[in-house]
Amino acid sequence: MNDSVLNDSVLSEITGPHRYRNAEAMLAHGERVWLRAAESGLLNIQVDHESNDRLIVRETGHEFSLLCSCSYLGLNHHPKIIEGAVSALRKAGTTGLSIAEIRVRLNLLVELEESLRDLYGAPALPGVSCSVLTAGILPLVASGHIGGGGPRVMVFDRFCHFSMAYIKPICGDESLVLSCPHNDLNYLEDICKKYPRVAYVADGAYSMGGRTALEGLLELQNRYGLFLYFDDSHALSIEGPRGEGYVRSNIEMNPLTLIVGSLAKGFGASGGVAMLGSEKDFQFLYRNAGPVTWSQNMDVPAIGACLASADLHRTPELGQLQAKLRHNIDVFDQRFPTRFSGNGLPIRLIEVGDEDLAVRLSEQLFRAGYYCSAVFFPIVARGAAGVRVMLRADFAPERLDNFCDVVESLMVSA
Ligand SMILES: *Cc1c(COP(=O)(O)O)cnc(C)c1O
């Protein structure tokens, strides 16, 4: 059946309302550049792994460094974490129990809950991924079941990660959903003055660089009882004495604050974690947080990897890796000053503006042995396309120098 069979009135009856998403509008733009990137050989690259600095394309023998990995500390290939995954599987003798965790769960998972609770100084709910935790928890913030007091106006920062924006339609079925200009505290304060209960949804450290306006947000929380929902995936492990991340290492937990993060980035394992502001939310979310309850939790190898990584976070090695990462960031910032220089976060954007130029730069870098992804609308704003560089602690100093030289020569010749 094709569109011509549907008359306009039927079409308008079954389309929309597109209040919070519009796939047609989004794909119309983004899909063209995706296909262009595919033609340039920048997608579906199939590799064998030797290290983050040595990925090998089997057919051609082409070797390259990954400069767009979120494994900021290089923990994704740490022998202790790999051993943790393997030994957990042997010890448990099962891949999992295949029953909702609220009913029956392995002591190994309970061990992880306790380990993360200790690490982060807060009740810590593990999940199969950060996105799944957000999908389960955010609608309960909107309805007021987390935070209390009834429905809350949900204010999403315009730059917040897709995994949160994606849940807007579900939140919108519970309460009023608004979008806030990036880090705009005045806008947010006006909303707080207008409505009695408000929640703000933001990244701690943003995927395209920069941080949330933490200090001002805490003031608004004090003054108006603002609920704060942070996704700190990009700062977990790389900041804080125990890798608590940017937000947790700068605040006291309270019942109006909740932090989620992915354990598949700096943490070097897989899964996600929610740091909760209230003890009673822990069991409540295990019972009621949608996909957290009805789908699998972490499988046994993931739990083992996370336990090993959490242990490693309690040793001096964490601080050493954090320092190496900071050093690499500083070296890059000195060569390529951007507006984020000196902010200590590992994500940098070499902005070129035009999407096709961004794809070409990414292609040239790949040929020279470095994979950095071209980013374009809707990942970034229209006309702000560029190449995203993500620095790692395990990026060898001589490779970094060479990478900077290559970027410089390509920028000059562009
Ligand atoms: C990568 C990322 C996610 C997704 O994490 P998963 O654990 O893979 O679901 C969520 N939020 C942010 C900010 C991210 O960068």
Side-chain angles (χ1 to χ4, degrees):
M1 191 150 150
N2 61 38
D3 280 353
S4 61
V5 184
L6 296 174
N7 65 40
D8 284 353
S9 87
V10 174
L11 196 59
S12 74
E13 196 182 329
I14 65 171
T15 305
H18 291 151
R19 265 199 297 268
Y20 309 110
R21 58 168 289 136
N22 186 337
E24 183 64 27
M26 207 171 67
L27 295 180
H29 193 87
E31 191 59 357
R32 183 192 72 83
V33 197
W34 273 120
L35 295 175
R36 168 94 178 69
E39 281 165 22
S40 306
L42 294 170
L43 304 183
N44 296 309
I45 300 165
Q46 298 165 11
V47 298
D48 294 310
H49 167 265
E50 208 142 282
S51 74
N52 292 327
D53 273 348
R54 194 142 180 254
L55 295 173
I56 304 143
V57 181
R58 209 178 289 172
E59 299 88 75
T60 58
H62 183 58
E63 292 181 7
F64 63 98
S65 285
L66 208 48
L67 266 179
C68 234
S69 166
C70 302
S71 184
Y72 304 118
L73 299 179
L75 292 181
N76 61 332
H77 61 108
H78 196 290
K80 285 187 180 157
I81 297 178
I82 291 170
E83 183 50 34
V86 173
S87 65
L89 201 46
R90 292 225 176 83
K91 197 164 132 193
T94 172
T95 54
L97 297 180
S98 211
I99 177 171
E101 266 74 18
I102 182 63
R103 297 183 190 279
V104 183
R105 62 185 181 278
L106 290 170
N107 280 318
L108 206 59
L109 181 59
V110 178
E111 246 180 75
L112 180 61
E113 292 164 7
E114 295 306 322
S115 177
L116 294 176
R117 173 194 290 263
D118 169 68
L119 198 63
Y120 299 134
L125 182 74
V128 75
S129 74
C130 178
S131 312
V132 159
L133 287 164
T134 283
I137 298 171
L138 266 190
L140 294 168
V141 175
S143 68
H145 290 92
I146 295 294
R152 279 179 187 271
V153 176
M154 298 294 285
V155 182
F156 287 74
D157 190 282
R158 208 166 67 78
F159 285 4
C160 77
H161 191 259
F162 206 168
S163 56
M164 294 176 280
Y166 197 67
I167 309 304
K168 281 182 186 177
I170 309 178
C171 293
D173 227 25
E174 294 285 357
S175 68
L176 177 64
V177 168
L178 301 171
S179 287
C180 172
H182 181 50
N183 279 347
D184 189 338
L185 296 174
N186 291 329
Y187 176 98
L188 195 54
E189 180 158 19
D190 286 346
I191 303 296
C192 289
K193 284 178 178 159
K194 190 166 172 196
Y195 300 104
R197 278 184 304 278
V198 180
Y200 176 62
V201 181
D203 293 17
Y206 280 85
S207 307
M208 289 302 142
R211 297 172 190 267
T212 193
L214 192 55
E215 228 169 281
L217 291 171
L218 293 175
E219 268 177 47
L220 292 181
Q221 182 172 68
N222 275 335
R223 214 172 303 149
Y224 301 100
L226 174 68
F227 189 99
L228 296 172
Y229 187 95
F230 292 112
D231 179 338
D232 215 10
S233 292
H234 287 295
L236 219 58
S237 299
I238 69 174
E239 293 196 339
R242 289 177 148 200
E244 304 92 329
Y246 170 56
V247 177
R248 179 67 190 99
S249 61
N250 282 290
I251 65 161
E252 295 297 326
M253 290 306 283
N254 65 57
L256 290 179
T257 304
L258 201 151
I259 305 167
V260 294
S262 178
L263 298 176
K265 297 190 169 164
F267 198 80
S270 73
V273 62
M275 305 175 206
L276 311 177
S278 155
E279 199 61 55
K280 71 176 177 28
D281 290 344
F282 181 79
Q283 291 288 334
F284 180 81
L285 288 170
Y286 249 136
R287 289 193 301 273
N288 297 301
V292 175
T293 73
W294 75 59
S295 184
Q296 59 184 312
N297 204 316
M298 283 183 202
D299 62 13
V300 166
I303 297 170
C306 285
L307 276 167
S309 179
D311 284 347
L312 196 141
H313 278 64
R314 296 181 177 88
T315 69
E317 193 173 349
L318 181 77
Q320 291 155 12
L321 291 172
Q322 288 176 335
K324 273 190 185 169
L325 174 62
R326 265 195 308 276
H327 176 76
N328 281 349
I329 297 169
D330 288 345
V331 169
F332 182 85
D333 279 346
Q334 275 163 22
R335 296 285 297 267
F336 302 99
T338 65
R339 74 200 141 105
F340 294 128
S341 290
N343 79 353
L345 291 168
I347 305 174
R348 295 288 179 261
L349 186 69
I350 303 174
E351 203 174 309
V352 296
D354 180 78
E355 292 149 353
D356 293 319
L357 276 180
V359 171
R360 203 177 73 190
L361 180 57
S362 173
E363 191 183 345
Q364 289 167 325
L365 283 169
F366 182 51
R367 276 203 218 110
Y370 301 98
Y371 189 88
C372 307
S373 53
V375 291
F376 35 82
F377 182 82
I379 307 170
V380 293
R382 287 171 210 266
V387 166
R388 184 159 69 158
V389 176
M390 296 158 88
L391 294 151
R392 280 183 286 104
D394 60 332
F395 192 39
E398 59 282 4
R399 291 288 286 163
L400 178 55
D401 287 338
N402 178 256
F403 170 72
C404 290
D405 292 344
V406 171
V407 173
E408 206 164 75
S409 68
L410 288 172
M411 299 291 280
V412 169
S413 68

